[in-house]
């Protein structure tokens, strides 16, 4: 049987997101991001379309590599102004029953003790629908504002990440035993103190002696997402992630990412087939092939090349303002810049890609492919992408809020359902039930459930 | 004209709160605190009763002074398990239009750069209904879990608090000029970079060079609450607070707090009459005087003296397990313990107060008075408290969730309205409009609007 296709919505608590300049489109409403109604409408739309989850990206800084200034990001509306993603979750959860929430939280930026409680609280309030996209942070501008001269070196960030996860896993998985909370009005015992354990964590970066403040939530550890593609990031994902996000302009690049992720999962002793991988994509569709193509042309007119370059510069660390727009790969001196541009050629290997081409490419939907056409044409492409890259579904960016998502729900979902390649109802239960097919807790083989807390410490405290 | 009486609801994201043991009452539903519906019902109830706000208390630790252990707090359900208060705000805001939200956030526990964005986001999503209860943190157990050996010395905490506020004020008030956000689809300019300023903060505790990530929210700086009663805490409140919470068992104690707060406000060059002060109280009422008294007796039966002592020990730092329950003030050696017990005598000066008396007192509604009777009797007491202490309203604790609040809304609010001492509709606008009578921004005399950011820094960055 052909594999089912999964949809995830890629969003951010800002105007625009992965389609720089598209906020200028007359029908775009993404500037309404400060209005709760904007998110309520989106949540209801996505649940109607049986989306797995809405994934809320975040950065804790400004894109300031381009021209060594934040001026372009501000002027062109490149992911700034930008609000906290976590606050959107209770709001959208309040008007939905099944939709999951993947929230990006960079773990160098909040202490694990407070963060663990924040996520436990959201898992309680969403009744088990919270996921966490583990990010180690990639903008120097964020690190500086948190009092660090610059962010930690790449590998040290992953060391810190490993310890951070150890702390939150201890809090989520080991501090409170199942059944510790009795709520027994007759005996007057709310919690059995013998079944609540201080975690006694003393590490290189963190010291957390005490108990978790939250009682166990439906999933305990939130459903775990990861998006890294560096070797160390891959190993990290292989060890921890239940789902991963990848983005690349062509199938070859994406298949490479997927293969590496699954290999890293196997290396970590976990079932590589159990890792869900979502590939980033933008779908442009409509009532007909013609309408879809008109929309594509219309959207393309609203791409802001300079905004796209500010985004690309932030992602790669290369200041693309120093290159002519018609520079090809041979012209680019930095390795990161060449590698950034080279990845685009996989979308169309016959072409000599210029900086302008790359900017226009990411101008619609970011680094993922743009799949344009009537529902049947797009469905063909989705099936092809899924079957030839090994991904499990798509992390769908939008061009125009919420038109892009509405078109997917109205046209693509029914077409895929007709083909038997899309769910016709939600799986009951937590996000983990829905995505991993089992739950609500992590498998016993996952490192989260294998952390150990000192038992003598627990006894002493009583 | 007699002054209006204001109501505020005193809550916490936990089972029980200020009435230790009352979670055991058969009609109490506070163990439903992890269920979003519990909070939705409360929000709708409070808005029906024209409450100013729901005030969400928080501690980031466990009460572990009593018997030098957290066992009693866990077993007796003393403010543990305890979830994040912030997550409740978008949920309750989604089902109300006017109700305000006062959230406690201890400022030694999160970096001001991330915290400022969190509160700006909530001010956006609530459309200007967010307030912040500035707390410097008082539990050692919280400090330890954040990697500090113990919390900072009292006075140093206030130094850090002053700098913390300086940072968040700069971010909220000075980083983005009014009108900086153009959202101009025609010109393609989202934000005018010349009107967004890096704050360039370099202080003793924090270094925050960059811009605020959020655009100005309706109130910019959230409505500011404070609850400290130490001399340094008073000075802090006098300088910063727009509203203050006080709690004391008798009118004399409360009047003393109010007078000191207003004096501190005057000392800081602000209008002492403009400071709103809410006094903590528990109202027990019903259809008749008899029903109210029955409820009082019934509630009192469910007070858990040991739980109350765990709470009192945490508040005062004195381990009350070392004292016999019938110990009077003369028996107590520690200054803090004597002073704690002495404050209760103001509720009934003719009595020799014992430790047990104090525990039973705080067992119903914490350190505030219990006002029992039919609506007219309670209204008399409320008027008397208001007029003789100088408070502006009451921060109402509950005994039984949500019965206590429902009784206030159903019986007390209409009685006070008949007397012309309670609003009959909400003032339109933000929380600041509703509470300060003007808004949405802080007055030009407030220190938040007087912070200065280096202008050369702003220019350089462009």
């Amino acid at each position: 049987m052909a594999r089912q296709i999964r949809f995830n919505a890629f969003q951010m608590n800002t105007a625009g997101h992965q389609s720089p300049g598209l906020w200028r489109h007359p029908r775009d409403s993404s500037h309404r991001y400060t209005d709760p109604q904007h998110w309520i409408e989106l949540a209801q739309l996505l649940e109607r379309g049986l989306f797995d989850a809405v994934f809320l990206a975040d950065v804790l800084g400004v894109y300031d590599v381009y021209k060594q200034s934040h001026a372009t990001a501000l002027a062109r509306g490149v992911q700034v102004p930008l609000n906290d993603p976590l606050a959107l979750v209770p709001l959208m959860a309040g008007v939905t029953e099944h939709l999951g929430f993947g929230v990006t939280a960079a773990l160098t930026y909040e202490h694990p003790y407070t963060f663990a409680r924040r996520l436990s609280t959201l898992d309680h309030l969403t009744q088990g629908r919270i996921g966490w996209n583990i990010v180690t942070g990639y903008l120097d501008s964020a690190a500086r504002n948190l009092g660090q001269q610059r962010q930690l070196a790449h590998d040290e960030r992953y060391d810190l990440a490993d310890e951070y996860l150890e702390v939150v896993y201890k809090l989520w998985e080991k501090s409170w035993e199942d059944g510790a909370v009795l709520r027994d009005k007759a005996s007057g015992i709310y919690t059995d103190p013998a079944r609540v354990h201080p975690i006694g964590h003393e590490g290189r970066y963190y010291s957390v002696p005490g108990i978790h403040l939250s009682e166990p939530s439906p999933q305990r550890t939130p459903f775990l997402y990861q998006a890294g593609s560096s070797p160390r990031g891959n190993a990290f994902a292989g060890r921890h992630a239940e789902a991963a996000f990848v983005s690349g302009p062509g199938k070859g690049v994406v298949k490479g990412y997927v293969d590496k992720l699954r290999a890293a999962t196997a290396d970590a002793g976990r079932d590589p087939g159990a890792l869900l991988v979502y590939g980033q994509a933008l779908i442009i569709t409509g009532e007909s092939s013609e309408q879809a193509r008109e929309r594509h042309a219309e959207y393309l007119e609203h791409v802001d090349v300079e905004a796209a370059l500010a985004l690309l510069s932030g992602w790669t660390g290369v200041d693309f303002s120093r290159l002519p727009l018609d520079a090809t790969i041979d012209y680019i001196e930095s390795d990161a810049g060449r590698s950034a541009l080279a990845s685009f050629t996989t979308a169309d290997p016959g072409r000599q890609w210029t900086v302008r081409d790359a900017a226009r490419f990411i101008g619609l939907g970011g680094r993922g492919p743009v799949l344009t056409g009537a529902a049947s044409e797009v469905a063909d492409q989705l099936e092809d992408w899924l079957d030839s890259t090994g991904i499990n579904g798509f992390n769908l960016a939008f061009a125009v809020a919420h038109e892009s998502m509405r078109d997917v729900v109205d046209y693509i979902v029914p077409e895929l359902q007709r083909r038997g390649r899309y769910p016709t109802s939600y799986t009951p239960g937590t996000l983990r039930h829905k995505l991993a097919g089992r739950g609500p807790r992590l498998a016993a083989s996952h490192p989260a459930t294998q952390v150990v807390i000192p038992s003598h410490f627990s006894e002493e405290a009583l």
Side-chain angles (χ1 to χ4, degrees), chain A:
Chain A
M1 201 187 93
R3 285 186 306 140
Q4 296 266 299
I5 291 175
R6 295 176 165 277
F7 282 161
N8 193 84
F10 198 20
Q11 300 275 338
M12 199 172 196
N13 199 352
T14 186
H17 172 210
Q18 290 280 312
S19 300
L22 267 289
W23 66 267
R24 301 175 302 173
H25 189 287
R27 292 194 301 277
D28 181 76
S29 65
S30 64
H31 61 275
R32 286 180 57 217
Y33 75 97
T34 59
D35 178 353
Q37 205 54 38
H38 180 73
W39 299 102
I40 287 171
E41 286 162 18
L42 177 70
Q44 290 170 330
L45 173 67
L46 298 176
E47 183 148 288
R48 178 159 71 81
L50 302 172
F51 273 53
D52 281 345
V54 54
F55 172 55
L56 294 159
D58 192 30
V59 289
L60 206 63
V62 189
Y63 289 86
D64 58 3
V65 173
Y66 187 74
K67 294 185 182 172
Q68 307 294 309
S69 161
H70 57 233
T72 302
L74 282 165
R76 308 294 178 127
V78 182
Q79 299 185 2
V80 65
L82 173 64
N83 277 346
D84 179 21
L86 287 176
L88 298 178
V89 174
L91 188 71
M92 293 196 281
V95 297
T96 52
E97 193 186 335
H98 293 287
L99 185 68
F101 302 94
V103 285
T104 294
L107 39 68
T108 42
Y109 303 154
E110 182 174 11
H111 195 281
Y113 187 65
T114 50
F115 179 72
R117 188 177 70 145
R118 253 187 245 288
L119 277 257
S120 292
T121 302
L122 290 179
D123 200 45
H124 278 297
L125 290 176
T126 62
Q127 301 177 304
R129 292 189 275 151
I130 194 77
W132 172 31
N133 177 37
I134 309 168
V135 165
T136 56
Y138 62 95
L139 290 183
D140 276 343
S141 61
R144 280 195 302 271
N145 286 312
L146 293 160
Q148 303 154 16
Q149 270 315 296
R150 43 172 294 126
Q151 54 185 356
L152 297 172
H154 190 79
D155 276 9
E156 197 183 354
R157 267 190 280 153
Y158 279 101
D159 287 341
L160 181 140
D162 282 334
E163 188 181 334
Y164 193 102
L165 283 178
E166 194 185 326
V167 175
V168 293
Y169 288 163
K170 286 173 176 173
L171 291 167
W172 285 327
E173 298 287 337
K174 300 290 159 136
S175 185
W176 294 63
E177 293 179 25
D178 285 336
V181 180
L182 305 171
R183 287 182 214 92
D184 185 352
K185 293 195 178 200
S187 70
I189 303 296
Y190 200 91
T191 302
D192 177 0
R195 289 194 264 178
V196 182
H197 311 289
I199 67 164
H201 179 88
E202 285 293 337
R204 180 172 163 202
Y205 298 98
Y206 301 107
S207 161
V208 183
I211 66 167
H212 190 31
L213 289 174
S214 300
E215 63 181 288
S217 64
Q219 301 183 110
R220 284 187 178 260
T221 296
F223 188 82
L224 297 173
Y225 296 99
Q226 221 263 355
S229 59
S230 69
R232 189 74 202 257
N234 259 303
F236 187 84
R239 203 168 130 70
H240 299 282
E242 300 176 83
F245 296 111
V246 297
S247 65
K251 287 170 204 156
V253 175
V254 168
K255 183 173 189 315
Y257 291 149
V258 175
D259 290 346
K260 275 184 196 153
L261 279 166
R262 298 213 193 276
T265 309
D267 287 349
R270 298 167 62 213
D271 174 11
L275 180 77
L276 290 184
V277 185
Y278 295 87
Q280 187 170 332
L282 171 67
I283 291 173
I284 303 178
T285 186
E287 287 181 6
S288 62
S289 182
E290 199 171 43
Q291 193 191 35
R293 267 158 247 289
E294 274 167 20
R295 288 208 164 161
H296 183 272
E298 187 192 77
Y299 293 171
L300 206 54
E301 272 172 34
H302 289 88
V303 168
D304 182 338
V305 166
E306 201 171 345
L309 291 175
L311 204 53
L312 191 60
S313 299
W315 289 341
T316 58
V318 175
D319 180 357
F320 277 94
S321 73
R322 301 184 176 200
L323 295 168
L325 284 173
D326 55 5
T328 59
I329 193 164
D330 307 322
Y331 190 96
I332 299 174
E333 281 176 21
S334 84
D335 287 345
R338 270 203 309 277
S339 138
L341 206 55
S343 78
F344 289 99
T345 63
T346 68
D348 181 0
R351 176 165 158 200
Q352 259 283 42
W353 281 69
T354 64
V355 168
R356 183 188 291 104
D357 294 335
R360 284 170 64 86
F361 187 93
I362 66 166
L364 283 186
R367 252 172 59 86
V370 182
L371 310 177
T372 305
S376 63
E377 295 169 279
V378 171
D380 288 347
Q381 297 176 69
L382 292 170
E383 291 192 51
D384 184 25
W385 267 83
L386 199 90
D387 298 337
S388 59
T389 62
I391 57 175
N392 303 85
F394 297 87
N395 190 31
L396 295 178
F398 64 91
V400 170
H402 296 311
E403 179 173 289
S404 301
M405 289 296 154
R406 204 175 301 118
D407 286 346
V408 169
V409 171
D410 288 342
Y411 301 115
I412 306 302
V413 166
E415 174 64 25
L416 290 175
Q417 285 172 329
R418 267 190 295 277
R419 297 180 182 202
R421 295 205 70 168
Y422 197 85
T424 52
S425 66
Y426 275 110
T427 304
T430 64
L431 185 58
R432 184 164 286 123
H433 283 106
K434 290 172 167 66
L435 269 58
R438 48 164 302 286
R441 305 287 165 75
L442 275 166
S445 59
H446 191 280
T449 61
Q450 294 172 345
V451 290
V452 176
I453 60 172
S455 61
H456 70 280
F457 191 93
S458 313
E459 283 153 27
E460 244 171 46
L462 300 173

